[in-house]
Amino acid sequence: MNLSDLRLEAQLDTNGYYALGVPAYLAIIGVEWLLLRRRGIKSYALPESLANMSAGLGEVTLGVFIGPSLVLLYEWAYRHLAVVHLFREGSLASWVFAFLLADFCYYVYHRASHGVGAFWAIHGVHHQARVMNVTVALRHPWLSDSYSAPFYALCPIMGIPTAQFFVAISFISFYAFTVHSRTFRRPGLFVFVTPQTHIVHHAKNPRYIDKNFGAMLTLWDRIFGTHVEVVPDDPPVLGTLSGCDTYDGAKAQWVGWRDLFERARLVRGPLAKLVSFFRPPAWRPAGSEKRDERAAPEGRLSMVRGVAHAAAFMVVLMIAAQLFLRAEQLGMTVKVVMGAVVLGGLHLLGRGIDRATATTTTTATTTSTSTSTSTSTSSSTST
C-alpha cells in the first residue's frame, strides 16, 4: 500500500503495535533492573512500578476506542485543510520536516499541559512517580487524547501526510520512552533529550519546575528559555507538589481532578469556578491555605504478595494483548466488555496493592513502637 494513498479509515491500529512491543518493553525494564541491581542502586519498587504500568495499559486500552477516530480526524484535516506541500512526499526532506514539526507540536502541547489546570489534572498523572526508571515512561494519562489534537493541527495544515505523521510521532514517543531512565545515559550533543536532562522535568524542586519539555530535541527548550541542566548541589526530587496517595493506576487518574474541584469549591460564582479550572496548576484562591502533599505509604510487599500482584497484572496484560491484536475482528460489544475487564482489573489490582502496602506500613509502625516501648521499659527497670 502506497504511503501517499494510505487511508487508514480507523484501521491503523497502533495498539496492535503496542501489543507486539510488550515483550520489548518488558525486556528493557528487565535489563535496567538488572543493571541497577548490579550497581547497588534501588530505583525499582514493585508497588510504584505496577502502578506505572497499569496507568500505561489503561491508556492504550482506551486507545482501542479513541485511536481510530483520531486517525480519521487527522486524515480529514490533511485532505481538506492542508495549505502547502513543501517537500515531495517520501523524500528525506519531507521526513526531516515531519519529525521537526511533530516534535515542536509536542513541545507546545506539553508546555500547555503544565500551564493550564484542567490539562495538568490529566497530564500530571505522568509526574506522580517518585522514583525514575523506564516504567515511568509507561505512566500515561488516560485522557490525554481528549485535548491533544488541536496542538498537532499544524502538521496536517503544513502538508504532512497521515502515515508520515504517525510514523514520526511513534518514533518520537519511543525515543521519549528511553529517556526515563537512570541507566541508559548518552551524550545529547546539545540537540537531543537525554536521561540526564529529562529527569529535571520530573522534579519538583523550584528551579526545575516547568523546564525541559522536549520529547526528542532540546532545540525548542533552548529557543524558548525552558532548558536547564541539573545543578549538583540541588539534586532532583521527583513527584508532584500535591503528591499522589495511591498505587492504583486507575484511581491516580482522578487525583488532579480532585484538587481542581477542591479549589473550585473555594471560589464564589459559577463563572469564577469555571475559570479556576483553566488557571495555572499552582494557583490557589486568595486566603486559602496550601494543602499538604499527599503520599502513598512506602511499605513494601512481601514476596508472596509481590508475586501474586505481579501475576495478576500479567493476567490483565494478556487479556489486553488479545484485545489489541484482535480489535479489528472483534465486535464492539465484545471489545467494550474486554476493555471494561482490563480497566476494572487494573483498578482491583491497585486497590489490593494500596491495602497491602498500608497493612505493611501499619505493621512496621506497630512493631517499631512496641520495640521502642520495650526498650524504654527495660531501661527503666534496670535503673
Side-chain angles (χ1 to χ4, degrees):
M1 185 177 292
N2 193 306
L3 284 178
S4 63
D5 297 323
L6 187 60
R7 289 205 59 184
L8 301 180
E9 297 178 354
Q11 300 303 312
L12 177 64
D13 188 1
T14 54
N15 299 285
Y17 295 103
Y18 275 111
L20 294 173
V22 164
Y25 286 124
L26 293 178
I28 293 172
I29 291 170
V31 168
E32 184 186 51
W33 180 78
L34 287 172
L35 291 174
L36 289 172
R37 185 179 177 85
R38 287 181 60 183
R39 298 174 186 175
I41 301 174
K42 294 182 178 180
S43 191
Y44 274 85
L46 187 59
E48 186 167 280
S49 295
L50 287 176
N52 294 341
M53 292 187 288
S54 293
L57 186 57
E59 189 262 351
V60 180
T61 299
L62 291 175
V64 170
F65 306 95
I66 301 173
S69 297
L70 294 177
V71 173
L72 284 175
L73 178 62
Y74 188 99
E75 177 74 2
W76 179 89
Y78 171 68
R79 290 180 176 274
H80 296 90
L81 303 180
V83 296
V84 64
H85 296 273
L86 297 177
F87 306 101
R88 180 174 55 82
E89 186 175 336
S91 65
L92 177 60
S94 71
W95 280 106
V96 171
F97 181 62
F99 272 87
L100 285 173
L101 190 57
D103 196 66
F104 170 73
C105 289
Y106 176 84
Y107 172 86
V108 177
Y109 153 73
H110 197 180
R111 190 165 179 177
S113 296
H114 283 250
V116 178
F119 296 165
W120 175 251
I122 298 171
H123 177 72
V125 174
H126 180 61
H127 290 262
Q128 293 167 347
R130 293 176 290 185
V131 179
M132 179 60 76
N133 56 60
V134 291
T135 68
V136 177
L138 303 177
R139 192 182 182 99
H140 291 301
W142 290 5
L143 301 178
S144 58
D145 287 338
S146 66
Y147 71 96
S148 62
F151 294 98
Y152 291 99
L154 192 59
C155 291
I157 291 174
M158 294 301 293
I160 297 177
T162 306
Q164 208 164 23
F165 168 77
F166 280 99
V167 168
I169 204 66
S170 295
F171 184 89
I172 290 170
S173 296
F174 180 77
Y175 184 90
F177 172 82
T178 68
V179 303
H180 294 80
S181 172
R182 290 183 180 271
T183 303
F184 305 122
R185 294 171 174 262
R186 65 270 192 178
L189 306 175
F190 298 99
V191 176
F192 296 103
V193 176
T194 66
Q196 304 93 289
T197 59
H198 189 68
I199 194 171
V200 164
H201 182 68
H202 283 262
K204 57 185 177 181
N205 314 46
R207 76 167 71 239
Y208 301 140
I209 291 176
D210 294 341
K211 301 294 183 183
N212 295 11
F213 293 104
M216 186 173 71
L217 304 175
T218 62
L219 175 64
W220 319 117
D221 282 303
R222 295 181 189 277
I223 289 175
F224 297 108
T226 53
H227 179 78
V228 67
E229 299 286 344
V230 173
V231 177
D233 294 336
D234 191 14
V237 178
L238 274 58
T240 62
L241 293 176
S242 58
C244 180
D245 55 1
T246 181
Y247 292 116
D248 182 345
K251 183 180 178 182
Q253 305 294 324
W254 312 109
V255 169
W257 289 105
R258 182 173 60 188
D259 292 341
L260 275 189
F261 279 103
E262 180 181 290
R263 79 179 190 182
R265 183 177 57 82
L266 301 175
V267 178
R268 293 185 177 182
L271 181 59
K273 290 181 182 294
L274 177 62
V275 170
S276 71
F277 282 84
F278 296 91
R279 291 186 180 276
W283 178 84
R284 296 287 296 179
S288 63
E289 298 181 0
K290 181 181 178 181
R291 73 157 21 260
D292 294 331
E293 181 179 346
R294 303 184 183 92
E298 295 188 9
R300 305 186 68 84
L301 297 174
S302 66
M303 177 66 74
V304 173
R305 284 182 171 176
V307 170
H309 283 104
F313 176 79
M314 292 305 296
V315 170
V316 176
L317 178 61
M318 286 188 288
I319 296 173
Q322 288 300 309
L323 172 62
F324 303 156
L325 289 170
R326 301 175 58 196
E328 294 179 15
Q329 290 77 42
L330 297 174
M332 181 56 70
T333 300
V334 176
K335 287 196 291 188
V336 169
V337 170
M338 291 183 70
V341 169
V342 171
L343 298 182
L346 294 174
H347 174 52
L348 292 176
L349 171 65
R351 285 186 62 185
I353 295 174
D354 280 343
R355 289 176 179 175
T357 52
T359 300
T360 303
T361 302
T362 301
T363 301
T365 302
T366 302
T367 301
S368 176
T369 303
S370 299
T371 302
S372 177
T373 302
S374 177
T375 302
S376 177
T377 302
S378 177
S379 176
S380 177
T381 302
S382 297
T383 303

